Amino acid sequence: MSTKGTKIKIIINLLLVTTILAIIYYLINQSFADIFKELLSTSVQVLLAMFFFGTLYQVVEGRSIKEIAKPFSDSFSTSDGFWTSCYIAFYRIVSFGTGTLISEIYFYNKKGMKFSQGAGVTALHMIMYKLAVITYAVIGLIVQFSLFYEKAPNMIWFIIAGIILTALIILFLVTISVSLNLQVFFVKISNRLFKSDRLRGWVDTCNTQIYSLRETVQTIIKDRTALVRIYCWNLLKLLCWYVMPYLFLVENHPTLDFLLTFSFISFAVVLSGVLPTPAGIGSFEFVYLLLFRPVVGTVDAVSSLLLYRFGSFILPFIYGFFYVIAERRNILRQEINEVKAEKKRAKGKI
């Protein structure tokens, strides 16, 4: 590449880093301000528990991702899975939810996978996560059914609806990932609608990608024991998140029932995943406060929510921030070295 082209890349990367830092500054001053204030008023023991379980979630998530990615990259490690999760968390916040899936597929591509393979890993990653979410929500509903039936019977139907909608999302993801009939249907409809060579070429490209995605997912799900392991890792990682509200609240509410808080957080997660709000922003908070406020009061419910949001949302974002900054720094250093090398070669020719 010419020196001019490399310089343009350097400028683009610097602009990207500046934009990211500007967004982070905005988020810290707006969305994150209350959370950081809450951290300052929290006991050291609770903070340590939050950091421990928040980090442990990412480690277990890394192991889960490794199990999914293993058929396509033998060198993909638990550490790579850990940074995948943090990388996704970073771009989820910076892009306000719009770049979540793209960032995950792109990360896998950087690790040597094809885009279709990355899409397959991403699809199965989402499917197994939602299966684990449903599992805990169903268990929670069974355990707390009598309480809801007595105190808030209408809530039962909302939870069941959330479970059913999540199950339908899983069914849809599985169908588009493995169904040959759906692919054939796509080709037939496309052939009827698009007649120009340019559009037919685009359809052929999409069809190839869908076929590759189907092959990728089928490659992963052939190993049934691997699916069981991935499912168990997802159950374990959610356990790390679901114990946190109890740890935050038990200090001021010693008689608080652990199973109650565990069930409530499982309901909040399953319902926030299907409520129609942009990128899930606001839906989780609404359900969380709706469930916890009658039990522990508004002040403690909001306090525990802010701490939970830090452990599950901001902490992986911080890890991802350091990864992205280190990555950008290495890219910029490499591009600057290319410019220097090009200048040396130009001087040698003179």
Side-chain angles (χ1 to χ4, degrees), residues 3 341-350:
T3 304
E342 187 65 31
K343 286 182 177 179
K344 286 182 180 179
R345 284 194 294 267
K347 288 180 180 179
K349 291 178 181 180
I350 296 175

Side-chain angles (χ1 to χ4, degrees), residues 17 48 88 173 203 208 216 219 243:
V17 171
L48 288 175
I88 297 166
L173 290 171
V203 169
T208 302
T216 298
T219 299
V243 300

Side-chain angles (χ1 to χ4, degrees), residues 28-309:
I28 289 174
N29 281 286
Q30 300 295 323
S31 304
F32 297 168
D34 291 336
I35 294 177
F36 287 122
K37 286 179 183 177
E38 185 61 35
L39 291 178
L40 295 175
S41 62
T42 304
S43 67
V44 175
Q45 295 92 331
V46 172
L47 288 177
L48 288 175
M50 179 188 61
F51 273 95
F52 174 77
F53 283 105
T55 303
L56 184 60
Y57 175 97
Q58 301 304 319
V59 174
V60 179
E61 172 77 308
R63 179 67 184 186
S64 170
I65 293 174
K66 177 198 171 184
E67 292 285 352
I68 302 174
K70 188 162 56 176
F72 312 105
S73 178
D74 292 333
S75 62
F76 198 94
S77 64
T78 300
S79 175
D80 290 327
F82 175 91
W83 291 117
T84 303
S85 179
C86 297
Y87 188 84
I88 297 166
F90 175 80
Y91 278 105
R92 178 186 294 117
I93 290 180
V94 169
S95 66
F96 301 99
T98 58
T100 305
L101 296 178
I102 295 173
S103 64
E104 183 171 358
I105 295 171
Y106 178 67
F107 191 95
Y108 297 138
N109 181 252
K110 291 194 300 177
K111 293 297 178 180
M113 298 184 203
K114 299 176 182 176
F115 281 111
S116 58
Q117 292 174 337
V121 173
T122 300
L124 190 58
H125 180 205
M126 186 182 299
I127 289 168
M128 300 308 287
Y129 165 75
K130 289 190 175 295
L131 273 176
V133 167
I134 283 181
T135 300
Y136 281 130
V138 170
I139 294 172
L141 184 60
I142 292 171
V143 171
Q144 302 300 331
F145 185 85
S146 59
L147 175 66
F148 276 113
Y149 187 78
E150 180 183 351
K151 302 291 184 180
N154 291 333
M155 195 67 190
I156 294 174
W157 298 110
F158 282 108
I159 296 168
I160 292 174
I163 292 171
I164 292 173
L165 286 173
T166 305
L168 290 175
I169 291 172
I170 293 172
L171 180 62
F172 173 75
L173 290 171
V174 171
T175 302
I176 63 172
S177 299
V178 302
S179 175
L180 179 61
N181 291 332
L182 185 63
Q183 185 179 357
V184 171
F185 176 75
F186 169 76
V187 172
K188 287 181 178 179
I189 293 297
S190 300
N191 287 336
R192 290 179 182 177
L193 294 177
F194 306 117
K195 302 299 182 180
S196 70
D197 292 339
R198 182 181 177 183
L199 290 176
R200 291 294 286 273
W202 177 80
V203 169
D204 290 341
T205 301
C206 290
N207 188 46
T208 302
Q209 291 296 321
I210 294 171
Y211 181 80
S212 298
L213 172 61
R214 186 172 62 85
E215 277 195 326
T216 298
V217 174
Q218 286 182 335
T219 299
I220 300 172
I221 63 178
K222 280 179 183 177
D223 187 351
R224 301 296 173 84
T225 59
L227 285 178
V228 173
R229 289 197 305 273
I230 295 165
Y231 174 67
C232 290
W233 283 118
N234 275 271
L235 289 175
L236 181 58
K237 78 180 185 185
L238 284 178
L239 189 63
C240 298
W241 272 1
Y242 286 6
V243 300
M244 285 198 285
Y246 177 79
L247 297 174
F248 301 154
L249 292 167
V250 71
E251 190 174 24
N252 293 330
H253 302 271
T255 60
L256 187 65
D257 184 5
F258 171 76
L259 290 178
L260 181 68
T261 61
F262 193 92
S263 300
F264 279 4
I265 192 66
S266 69
F267 299 153
V269 171
V270 77
L271 288 173
S272 65
V274 296
L275 289 179
T277 54
I281 297 170
S283 56
F284 176 83
E285 287 81 356
F286 171 77
V287 179
Y288 186 100
L289 293 176
L290 179 68
L291 293 169
F292 279 94
R293 190 159 44 195
V295 178
V296 298
T298 300
V299 174
D300 286 342
V302 172
S303 174
S304 65
L305 171 62
L306 293 175
L307 292 172
Y308 181 87
R309 265 313 195 189

